[in-house]
Amino acid sequence: MELSQRINSFSQLGDIIRVKLEGFNPNNFENNHELWSLFDKARQKNPWFTAQNIKSSLTAIAEWLRTDVLHHWLSSYKIEKINPVQVGVIMAGNIPLVGFHDFLCVMMSGHSIAIKCSSDDDVLLPVLTEWLIAINPEWKNKIQFVNRLEKPGAVIATGSNNSARYFEYYFGKYPHIIRKNRNSVAVIDGFESKEDLVALGDDIFSYFGLGCRNVSKLYIPEEYSLNTFFQCMEPYADVMNHNKYMNNYDYHHALFLLNNAPFLTNNYLIVREHEALATPVSVLHYEYYKNESDLNEKLENHKDEIQCIAGHRFIPFGKTQQPTLSDYADGVDVMQFLIDLKI
């Protein structure tokens, strides 16, 4: 299949997604929209996959799959004739369709794919591939869903630090990209508007904070007051309506009280001073910095743990969960990796 055909197929897939999302209200369970059965099936497998979260993920994917966007992204690469191999992709399941970008990269490169879905997210991508195959049946021979990878030509695997050790052991002999835990942070300089801080709430609360691009820690200047920050988090109080989120909040709230650990809270977000980047659901860490030099040193010390940074000098507030096609996880260019495969 020629590259132009591949681009055309995915562009049409984007059109289909946009059409299906038209008129879909994730808060209206009674409108009998055709997506409800699909969304409900995904939610039953993973209660974090609310209709709004799935819609947000599909909307972002549909924006990627515009013809001009795909051409602009791929114009940076020399995608020539390759010796196609089967690339095994082990996908995470923390947010809906988090593995779609890897899927798109493999398909655009001209290789075939063997997909090992997370059990937490094994409903949505098979449906998208059905739509893709309906557009062009040639895709059927390029896409396979598997329970385990058997002698892949290359591997892209995403998981925890523990699972990464497993991946290294089993797949280290193949060309590979293996991703570990990462978190994102925000840098507050004290000159943020209320609009900036409200937008930061999107970086914190979208997908309940479960994505590696969600902000889990704030770096704030010394003597900075968090009062305005808490006021600007009020638009996100509806997380209190999600049982699993509030179960996490109640557990950690009780745990910190029992341990006499100091923290601040607005009854749905716990904010505590701590050096660690990773936080459980409903918890946000912060750390003071003295000056720009001190801040840069702190960021440098954690560079292998940070996925992205929000702030005035970094990714704009509210945009961490809106990556472009060129914003590769962990900074590793997946397309170039696939193009350079020499098997």
Side-chain angles (χ1 to χ4, degrees):
M1 191 186 307
E2 297 295 326
L3 178 60
S4 60
Q5 294 175 287
R6 303 198 290 270
I7 292 174
N8 184 60
S9 290
F10 274 91
S11 177
Q12 290 186 58
L13 177 61
D15 292 339
I16 289 172
I17 294 172
R18 284 188 290 275
V19 168
K20 289 182 179 294
L21 286 175
E22 282 184 5
F24 178 74
N25 181 353
N27 298 313
N28 183 359
F29 294 88
E30 300 178 356
N31 64 359
N32 296 317
H33 194 283
E34 66 172 297
L35 289 180
W36 266 118
S37 60
L38 171 62
F39 283 26
D40 189 55
K41 186 178 179 182
R43 182 190 57 79
Q44 289 180 30
K45 293 295 294 289
N46 187 340
W48 294 110
F49 284 16
T50 63
Q52 181 58 60
N53 282 350
I54 299 173
K55 180 183 179 183
S56 295
S57 181
L58 284 172
T59 300
I61 287 171
E63 290 305 303
W64 281 346
L65 302 185
R66 295 185 182 276
T67 303
D68 58 334
V69 175
L70 290 169
H71 276 292
H72 178 74
W73 169 48
L74 296 172
S75 66
S76 300
Y77 303 96
K78 293 183 179 180
I79 305 177
E80 301 169 347
K81 294 292 184 180
I82 62 170
N83 293 319
V85 301
Q86 187 178 71
V87 179
V89 179
I90 300 175
M91 297 183 174
N94 50 326
I95 66 176
L97 292 163
V98 69
F100 184 86
H101 189 267
D102 287 335
F103 170 70
L104 177 64
C105 288
V106 176
M107 295 296 87
M108 285 299 170
S109 70
H111 296 294
S112 62
I113 191 169
I115 304 167
K116 172 65 174 70
C117 286
S118 166
S119 59
D120 289 332
D121 187 15
D122 59 2
V123 173
L124 300 169
L125 187 57
V127 172
L128 293 192
T129 60
E130 288 177 8
W131 298 347
L132 186 66
I133 291 168
I135 293 168
N136 187 337
E138 287 187 46
W139 289 113
K140 188 172 184 179
N141 297 324
K142 305 280 286 184
I143 303 168
Q144 182 181 7
F145 289 89
V146 300
N147 292 321
R148 59 181 297 174
L149 301 183
E150 301 285 354
K151 298 181 179 180
V155 174
I156 301 172
T158 304
S160 66
N161 290 346
N162 286 335
S163 60
R165 287 191 285 269
Y166 167 88
F167 297 150
E168 289 281 2
Y169 178 80
Y170 283 97
F171 304 121
K173 62 185 177 182
Y174 304 105
H176 61 268
I177 295 173
I178 295 177
R179 306 188 185 107
K180 303 177 182 179
N181 287 345
R182 289 214 178 202
N183 295 89
S184 296
V185 303
V187 172
I188 303 295
D189 59 24
F191 296 97
E192 288 75 19
S193 66
K194 289 188 176 181
E195 290 76 16
D196 287 335
L197 295 177
V198 170
L200 173 59
D202 276 344
D203 300 325
I204 295 168
F205 288 104
S206 62
Y207 304 109
F208 300 108
L210 289 166
C212 64
R213 297 183 67 88
N214 284 112
V215 167
S216 59
K217 181 173 180 177
L218 307 180
Y219 286 97
I220 61 179
E222 289 184 331
E223 300 183 2
Y224 179 84
S225 171
L226 289 167
N227 290 338
T228 302
F229 167 81
F230 272 115
Q231 292 172 10
C232 294
M233 295 302 104
E234 291 178 6
Y236 304 93
D238 60 352
V239 294
M240 298 173 71
N241 298 322
H242 193 270
N243 287 337
K244 284 183 72 68
Y245 181 93
M246 288 308 294
N247 285 343
N248 276 267
Y249 173 85
D250 291 340
Y251 171 79
H252 292 290
H253 185 267
L255 185 65
F256 295 147
L257 286 175
L258 287 171
N259 291 332
N260 291 318
F263 64 88
L264 303 169
T265 183
N266 58 1
N267 297 320
Y268 52 89
L269 179 66
I270 297 168
V271 180
R272 61 192 296 250
E273 185 174 1
H274 203 283
E275 291 185 358
L277 299 190
T279 61
V281 170
S282 78
V283 179
L284 179 72
H285 287 169
Y286 69 90
E287 183 177 351
Y288 291 107
Y289 65 89
K290 298 176 182 178
N291 49 45
E292 187 169 342
S293 176
D294 183 39
L295 170 64
N296 291 338
E297 182 179 349
K298 292 177 186 294
L299 294 175
E300 178 67 19
N301 289 340
H302 289 289
K303 65 179 181 180
D304 293 333
E305 303 170 63
I306 295 175
Q307 188 65 259
C308 61
I309 304 172
H312 284 152
R313 294 193 292 114
F314 306 95
I315 296 173
F317 293 115
K319 300 294 185 182
T320 64
Q321 282 290 0
Q322 299 177 34
T324 69
L325 286 169
S326 298
D327 290 326
Y328 295 100
D330 298 7
V332 178
D333 190 325
V334 178
M335 275 302 297
Q336 197 60 56
F337 165 79
L338 294 166
I339 292 168
D340 291 342
L341 281 178
K342 301 284 192 296
I343 309 298

